[in-house]
């Protein structure tokens, strides 16, 4: 018995490290592993609750909107030396003053206010984020980030016309030199968006969990100073597409303001990304009617409003 036990024990000594290595290997390959790396951003009321520092490279964000208003998060990469304090002093006031004047019917004076934006504001690089998210919904969005100083912001407006970023929805986020080491998810549906062709998607969309890749073939500054992004919207039978389209322009007094149009539920998406980059968006689709739309003026004429159905 003794020699047998000895053989048994010594084989365990050999097998255990081997099994342990296999275990580690399986852990690193497991698809669930990715979920450990998801960066959570929560809005309770008019806030962003998240970590302050994240690695560069590919990051997946789960933006959870627990509030009663529609929000998004957009990451603005700031030029060297500019911070949240500079934004509060030099960027938010011209936008708010301009918007207030436009709301009062003084369009010309309102747009003139935007000329007071500092020159450095035009060096801010919109670097992605979620699409619009209705109350009690969330958006799982994956983007690649360069190291730098970012402001996480939402510029939906309260019912009185005040931008959310003036009410607490502007938060500094540091992206470090250290790379996350993550890879983007594998897309089940590939899409392209550009100023010249709008939203391009060539396959029917099936029900269930879908991972969309959105390639930003170009990026421009639209009439309302922002670029194009991609938002997924669930449509009820009473949804009015024209009302949705006009709501998607923040510079309109009735645009991007609480309440959101009736009959639409915003399910997230990918916010403005730079030309030539790709963002990913994962969502579980129930059968029903949906639309893709960009948060730009006159989306339909730019082919940036497209409806589709998910069959049972
Ligand atoms: Cu908001």
């Amino acid at each position: 018995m003794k020699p047998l036990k000895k053989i048994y024990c010594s084989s365990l000594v050999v097998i255990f490290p081997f099994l342990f290595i296999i275990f580690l290997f399986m852990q690193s390959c497991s698809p669930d592993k990715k979920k450990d790396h998801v960066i959570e951003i929560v809005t309770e009321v008019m806030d962003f609750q998240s970590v302050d520092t994240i690695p560069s490279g590919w990051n997946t964000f789960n933006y959870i909107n627990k509030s009663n208003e529609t929000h998004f998060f957009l990451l603005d990469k700031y030029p060297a030396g500019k911070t949240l304090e500079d934004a509060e002093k030099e960027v938010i006031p011209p936008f708010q003053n301009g918007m207030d004047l436009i709301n009062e019917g003084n369009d010309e004076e309102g747009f003139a206010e935007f000329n007071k934006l500092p020159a450095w504001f035009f060096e801010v690089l919109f670097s992605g984020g979620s699409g619009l998210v209705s109350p009690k919904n969330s958006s799982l969005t994956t983007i690649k980030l360069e190291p730098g100083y970012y402001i996480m912001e939402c510029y939906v407006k309260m019912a009185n016309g005040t931008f959310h970023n003036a009410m607490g929805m502007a938060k500094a986020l540091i992206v470090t030199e250290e790379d996350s080491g993550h890879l983007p998810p594998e897309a089940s549906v590939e899409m392209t968006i550009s100023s010249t062709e709008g939203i391009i998607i060539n396959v029917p969309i099936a029900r269930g969990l879908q991972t969309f890749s959105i390639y930003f073939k170009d990026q421009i500054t639209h009439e309302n100073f922002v670029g194009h992004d991609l938002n997924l919207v669930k449509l009820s039978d009473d949804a009015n597409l024209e009302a949705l389209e006009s709501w998607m322009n923040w510079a309109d007094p009735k645009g991007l303001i609480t309440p959101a149009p009736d009959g639409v539920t915003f399910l997230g998406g990918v916010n403005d990304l730079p030309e030539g980059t790709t963002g990913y968006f994962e969502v579980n689709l129930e059968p029903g009617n949906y639309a893709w739309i960009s948060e730009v003026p006159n989306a339909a004429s730019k082919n940036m409003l497209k409806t589709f159905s998910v069959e049972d």
Side-chain angles (χ1 to χ4, degrees):
M1 285 305 284
K2 247 186 185 175
L4 253 184
K5 193 177 178 189
K6 201 173 179 184
I7 289 167
Y8 176 69
C9 286
S10 56
S11 62
L12 276 186
V13 169
V14 174
I15 288 168
F16 256 127
F18 184 64
L19 287 176
F20 187 63
I21 288 165
I22 289 180
F23 172 75
L24 283 181
F25 181 71
M26 284 173 75
Q27 280 286 300
S28 66
C29 292
S30 159
D32 287 345
K33 185 73 181 168
K34 198 191 67 168
K35 303 297 179 207
D36 297 346
H37 299 305
V38 170
I39 298 162
E40 215 166 77
I41 303 172
V42 176
T43 293
E44 296 267 7
V45 187
M46 206 57 80
D47 53 351
F48 285 124
Q49 299 172 18
S50 72
V51 291
D52 301 321
T53 304
I54 61 168
S56 50
W58 288 104
N59 282 300
T60 298
F61 296 89
N62 188 18
Y63 177 50
I64 303 166
N65 181 7
K66 294 184 178 175
S67 80
N68 295 319
E69 296 195 41
T70 300
H71 303 284
F72 58 78
F73 84 91
L74 169 64
L75 295 174
D76 306 339
K77 186 171 187 289
Y78 265 43
K82 295 299 172 189
T83 65
L84 183 58
E85 287 69 44
D86 298 297
E88 285 167 347
K89 259 185 261 162
E90 298 181 64
V91 177
I92 294 175
F95 273 116
Q96 191 63 63
N97 296 339
M99 194 70 244
D100 291 345
L101 286 161
I102 292 168
N103 286 341
E104 290 160 14
N106 300 325
D107 283 24
E108 209 171 309
E109 279 178 63
F111 280 98
E113 276 295 308
F114 302 140
N115 292 329
K116 295 179 184 167
L117 286 163
W120 63 262
F121 174 75
F122 297 93
E123 292 169 39
V124 169
L125 186 65
F126 296 127
S127 303
S130 72
L132 286 152
V133 179
S134 287
K136 318 307 175 196
N137 280 273
S138 62
S139 175
L140 198 64
T141 304
T142 301
I143 51 175
K144 192 179 186 187
L145 295 169
E146 299 292 326
Y149 180 98
Y150 291 76
I151 304 285
M152 182 190 295
E153 67 154 331
C154 169
Y155 53 81
V156 174
K157 293 174 280 181
M158 302 203 311
N160 68 3
T162 306
F163 288 111
H164 291 180
N165 56 20
M167 298 301 296
M169 296 196 84
K171 175 181 174 161
L173 182 73
I174 309 291
V175 177
T176 64
E177 292 285 338
E178 187 201 348
D179 192 283
S180 71
H182 304 149
L183 295 171
E186 205 168 303
S188 57
V189 179
E190 293 177 353
M191 301 173 69
T192 296
I193 187 166
S194 69
S195 63
T196 51
E197 295 160 279
I199 297 164
I200 305 291
I201 178 165
N202 294 321
V203 292
I205 298 171
R207 65 179 295 179
L209 188 65
Q210 299 294 342
T211 303
F212 297 96
S213 66
I214 298 106
Y215 173 61
F216 285 68
K217 195 173 172 185
D218 72 2
Q219 185 55 279
I220 62 165
T221 303
H222 289 258
E223 306 92 296
N224 59 352
F225 298 97
V226 295
H228 40 261
D229 62 352
L230 193 77
N231 299 271
L232 177 63
V233 185
K234 181 113 199 277
L235 304 171
S236 305
D237 292 340
D238 62 339
N240 179 333
L241 283 180
E242 281 173 19
L244 169 64
E245 189 191 9
S246 62
W247 192 79
M248 294 299 274
N249 176 16
W250 68 262
D252 186 303
K254 293 190 177 115
L256 226 61
I257 193 166
T258 296
D262 287 336
V264 306
T265 305
F266 292 102
L267 299 176
V270 177
N271 220 309
D272 303 14
L273 275 176
E275 177 171 327
T277 64
T278 301
Y280 297 81
F281 167 54
E282 290 167 68
V283 65
N284 197 8
L285 292 174
E286 311 274 332
N289 295 318
Y290 294 84
W292 297 109
I293 188 166
S294 282
E295 189 233 296
V296 295
N298 310 309
S301 70
K302 298 170 180 173
N303 197 33
M304 291 183 186
L305 169 55
K306 299 191 83 143
T307 57
F308 67 96
S309 296
V310 171
E311 305 299 334
D312 205 346

